[in-house]
Amino acid sequence: SVNGRVVDENAKPVSNASIQAGTSTTTTDVNGVFRFANILLSKNAGCVKVEKDGYFKTGRTIFTSAGVVNNIEIKLIPKKLRGEFSASVGGNISIESGASVNFPVNGIINKSTNVPYVGSVKVFGAYLNHEDPNLASIMPGNLTGLTTENEQKILQTYGMIAVELEGGNGERLNLAAGKSAAITVAIPPGLQASAPATMPLWYFSDSLGLWKEEGTAARQGNTYTGSVSHFTFWNYDVPSDMVN
């Protein structure tokens, strides 16, 4: 069973948020609380997904314990408009805290139809600082991920970035096949001395409830820049072995 509570950026309860765990669904009550009793979840990656208008889709991944109540709290991330660019021109959009995204020329499609999109693209974004004491309740999933060899690892994050694209009429957009965008994040001051020359990139997989390794970012001074082929949450992490 799973009991949880969903709060906003000010730690206030969020009502009527859509919750999914496995094949079960529910909504939060006036206190932001939800409950699932006797459901089936993955042992190593039991993912509880949350959606609410005005916030990034997110979720919490737990190592589930059978026969007990698993308690979680999820803090939502507001979808803030960071800027707009013309799909036919591309552009560089600043997110926050030194994070930015450089979009390609003629590289955007309608996510539902795969038809090339022309027009103004709205960029919603957020940066998640690894030093935030609330990171565990804000970030999607948890700090475990699957490598390109499909090995599950513990991750040490150097920062995360969330990006969603929308058209002028609210269409969900993404990068076209064969196109890529460059994402840049600042290396936190406390990690600059130990930051390696290259860093694996990981994206959050909604279907697995885990981060998946895809691509590499290169250090340039005190920033990391890497190319991505689609948008979701992206994470800069050093992996290490899990110990049971």
Side-chain angles (χ1 to χ4, degrees):
S1 299
V2 179
N3 285 357
R5 185 168 181 260
V6 179
V7 299
D8 64 14
E9 65 275 24
N10 298 312
K12 302 297 184 182
V14 175
S15 61
N16 294 316
S18 299
I19 313 294
Q20 179 180 350
T23 59
S24 302
T25 60
T26 188
T27 57
T28 54
D29 64 16
V30 68
N31 297 308
V33 173
F34 64 89
R35 296 180 177 86
F36 292 107
N38 301 316
I39 60 173
L40 293 175
L41 283 179
S42 167
K43 181 177 180 180
N44 283 338
C47 187
V48 180
K49 304 172 186 178
V50 183
E51 289 189 74
K52 177 71 175 180
D53 288 344
Y55 295 89
F56 285 99
K57 181 180 178 180
T58 187
R60 182 71 56 249
T61 301
I62 58 175
F63 297 98
T64 54
S65 298
V68 300
V69 176
N70 299 266
N71 294 290
I72 61 175
E73 180 167 293
I74 299 171
K75 192 172 186 178
L76 299 182
I77 305 169
K79 279 179 60 175
K80 294 184 179 180
L81 180 63
R82 301 300 182 176
E84 298 185 37
F85 69 94
S86 171
S88 61
V89 177
N92 190 71
I93 303 295
S94 178
I95 303 301
E96 61 178 317
S97 303
S100 63
V101 184
N102 193 10
F103 294 92
V105 175
N106 294 322
I108 306 299
I109 60 169
N110 185 307
K111 191 174 180 180
S112 61
T113 64
N114 287 326
V115 173
Y117 177 83
V118 292
S120 183
V121 179
K122 296 179 180 180
V123 181
F124 298 87
Y127 171 75
L128 280 63
N129 190 333
H130 89 291
E131 295 178 330
D132 188 333
N134 296 311
L135 182 63
S137 61
I138 297 173
M139 60 171 282
N142 58 20
L143 283 176
T144 63
L146 295 176
T147 67
T148 52
E149 290 79 30
N150 209 39
E151 296 176 332
Q152 192 167 351
K153 299 283 187 177
I154 291 175
L155 306 178
Q156 178 192 1
T157 183
Y158 279 61
M160 307 176 192
I161 185 172
V163 176
E164 287 188 11
L165 309 179
E166 285 187 8
N169 296 316
E171 307 97 318
R172 296 293 300 275
L173 308 176
N174 216 320
L175 291 173
K179 295 287 187 176
S180 63
I183 56 175
T184 298
V185 298
I187 301 172
L191 297 175
Q192 290 174 4
S194 61
T198 60
M199 174 76 65
L201 283 172
W202 312 71
Y203 73 90
F204 185 69
S205 169
D206 283 333
S207 59
L208 295 174
L210 293 169
W211 298 92
K212 289 201 70 177
E213 183 182 4
E214 185 178 292
T216 303
R219 181 172 182 174
Q220 300 174 352
N222 287 323
T223 65
Y224 279 115
T225 299
S227 294
V228 300
S229 60
H230 55 95
F231 280 110
T232 173
F233 282 85
W234 284 92
N235 200 350
Y236 294 72
D237 298 85
V238 174
S240 59
D241 290 336
M242 298 185 71
V243 178
N244 295 322

